[in-house]
Amino acid sequence: MKRALPDLTIAPPVEGEKVTIVFHADGRQYDLPVLGGTHGPKVIDVRPLYAETGYFTYDPGFMSTASCDSAITFIDGERGILLHRGYPIEELAAHADFLEVCYLLLYGKLPTQSELKQFDDLIGHHTMVHEQFKRLFEGFRRDAHPMAVMVGTVGALSAFYHDKIDITDPEARMVATHRLIAKMPTICAMAFKYSLGQPFLYPRNGLGYASNFLRMAFGIPAQEYVVSPVLARAINRFLVLHADHEQNASTATVRIAGSSHANPYACVAAGITALWGPDHGGANEAVVNMLEEIGSKDRIPIYIKRAKDKSDPFRLTGFGHRVYKNYDPRAAILRESCHEVLAELGKNEEPLFALALELERIALDDDYFVQRKLFPNVDFYSGIMLRAIGFPKAMFPSLFALGRTIGWIAQWKEMIEAPDQHIARPRQRYTGHPIRPYLPLAER
Ligand code: SDX
């Protein structure tokens, strides 16, 4: 039965809707136009503000700032809604293959059977990396964090293709997006294999995106690796849930880096860097570290207390979100995926999962979290599932980066192709020393 979709349409601004700002010092007034989108808050167009008034807006952390137009993803944080090109994340996670979602984010529509087959073949042409690429890994210690390896190796892709990427050429831009979608599973699996001291496996096209990745990650040359359909479905769902998320920190980083017309492979490496932070995509690894530190249900109250203590830097990682002030829809789906994968692997008694469920129950019954609308986010359950599948904690952010690459590159492409595209260059409020003359050394 088709799920009734909420009506998210916003009333368009009334003809000539505007905001008037009044400078009380001298009574000057300025009108700023109001612009509406498809869904979500209307925006006050402050582009003329500085030129007309000499004032900047002030918004550290961009709590109230729309940095661009985008048609790719919509999030309603209050209602816990996430759409990709209008399709609810729950339906994409339940029914779509990850490559379908890649096509959707890139081209704006779900592919037909033949379009998807053609896209799959196209991506298949790019799944291998240059043979010399392998030697890049040897510069890293085996125990290097996989995200350090991903930043370095994905950034190095810019050296392999720099002369072939003319970002003003639509075809060159599309090839760059296809290469990144295709090569990220290969590179991510190579980073994992390198950490294990095991040989790299070549991609095997035709296996399907998630299965191909699982085989490269867990297969060994000595024997055939049979992909579990349940694990393939879990990884596919994981990738769909991580594909894109509006203007999050790492996507904003890719957009800003790309706005100077830098090499797109290097821009994605910048996105990986931003994602690595424990407040962003590094949280999935931090969640499992936190659960392991808590250790048992009876110790949960100690950590809830610490999370509420302003003098303690400890935060309940995996909880809270800049946009979601409701349950992150992806967290709910990942919690179900955890159940499925643990059951499939006979790990129903996985203590960390039981601990996570109890921690969620207690936190969501505590005023501190309820008042601040701190719900589990995408990172709270994902690590438990990835660990059950066999990935070490350190690999979790790299898997997030694998899923998010399509979002980064689709948003990069949208930014580059925007009619009013120009370099992103925020201003500031200067709070430094007043102007002063140089003081000769002898006089200091
Ligand atoms: C991702 O942006 C995206 O879309 C990101 C992402 C994506 O798909 O790209 O969704 C992926 O990054 C998910 C978030 C993963 N990070 C974590 O789980 C780390 C733990 N969460 C927090 O650090 C925090 O919630 C943030 C960073 C996610 C959001 O921070 P904000 O929006 O700046 O909120 P805040 O720090 O101003 O917190 C508001 C209040 C504060 O208390 P008061 O000052 O009001 O008393 O809530 C408290 C914070 O102290 N708070 C927490 C908390 N998160 C916020 N207190 C305890 N534990 C927490 N996790």
Side-chain angles (χ1 to χ4, degrees), residues 16 40 50 116 132 152 192 257 297 355 434:
Y50 177 59
L116 182 59
Q132 273 181 246
F192 180 40
K297 291 181 183 177
L355 190 58

Side-chain angles (χ1 to χ4, degrees), residues 63 75 244-245 248-250 275 278-281 283 307 310 314-325 328 330 368-369 372 374 377-379 400 404:
M63 310 286 268
I75 302 171
D244 190 50
H245 211 238
N248 59 86
S250 54
L275 184 73
D279 269 2
H280 190 11
K310 291 298 169 208
F314 174 80
R315 280 195 163 180
L316 216 47
T317 195
F319 272 77
H321 198 278
R322 170 62 58 75
V323 176
Y324 287 122
K325 300 310 172 192
D328 183 334
R330 302 168 296 174
Y368 175 93
F369 295 91
R372 289 167 180 77
L374 301 175
N377 58 49
V378 67
D379 292 305
F400 191 145
R404 185 52 54 89

Side-chain angles (χ1 to χ4, degrees), residues 221-397:
Q223 63 192 51
E224 197 43 45
Y225 177 78
V226 179
V227 180
S228 148
V230 172
L231 300 194
R233 192 168 60 248
I235 288 292
N236 182 75
R237 191 177 302 161
F238 173 92
L239 295 174
V240 167
L241 292 172
H242 288 75
D244 190 50
H245 211 238
E246 201 211 63
Q247 303 312 314
N248 59 86
S250 54
T251 299
T253 300
V254 172
R255 276 181 171 260
I256 288 184
S259 73
S260 72
H261 292 187
N263 181 299
Y265 303 97
C267 294
V268 167
I272 296 172
T273 305
L275 184 73
W276 191 1
D279 269 2
H280 190 11
N284 51 22
E285 177 182 5
V287 166
V288 173
N289 287 334
M290 173 185 72
L291 293 172
E292 286 173 342
E293 184 185 335
I294 294 174
S296 59
K297 291 181 183 177
D298 61 305
R299 285 164 48 86
I300 289 177
I302 300 167
Y303 286 85
I304 294 280
K305 187 164 181 285
R306 285 189 57 194
K308 293 153 58 170
D309 176 357
K310 291 298 169 208
S311 64
D312 188 328
F314 174 80
R315 280 195 163 180
L316 216 47
T317 195
F319 272 77
H321 198 278
R322 170 62 58 75
V323 176
Y324 287 122
K325 300 310 172 192
N326 196 325
Y327 210 100
D328 183 334
R330 302 168 296 174
I333 299 166
L334 280 163
R335 188 182 54 207
E336 291 321 306
S337 269
C338 263
H339 271 304
E340 272 179 38
V341 168
L342 293 172
E344 166 72 13
L345 298 174
K347 296 181 177 177
N348 268 321
E349 301 318 310
E350 162 61 58
L352 279 193
F353 188 46
L355 190 58
L357 290 170
E358 179 63 3
L359 176 58
E360 175 187 346
R361 186 190 67 76
I362 295 173
L364 296 190
D365 198 28
D366 184 304
D367 269 354
Y368 175 93
F369 295 91
V370 175
Q371 279 164 13
R372 289 167 180 77
K373 300 183 177 179
L374 301 175
F375 291 88
N377 58 49
V378 67
D379 292 305
F380 188 60
Y381 287 106
S382 56
I384 298 166
M385 183 181 81
L386 295 174
R387 202 172 89 133
I389 292 174
F391 290 106
K393 289 180 285 189
M395 274 299 293
F396 299 172

Side-chain angles (χ1 to χ4, degrees), residues 7 23 45 67 108 187 229 234 272 290 299 345 383 389 394 416 428:
D7 177 9
F23 290 94
D45 185 351
S67 61
I187 295 170
I272 296 172
M290 173 185 72
R299 285 164 48 86
L345 298 174
I389 292 174
I416 288 284
Q428 63 175 21

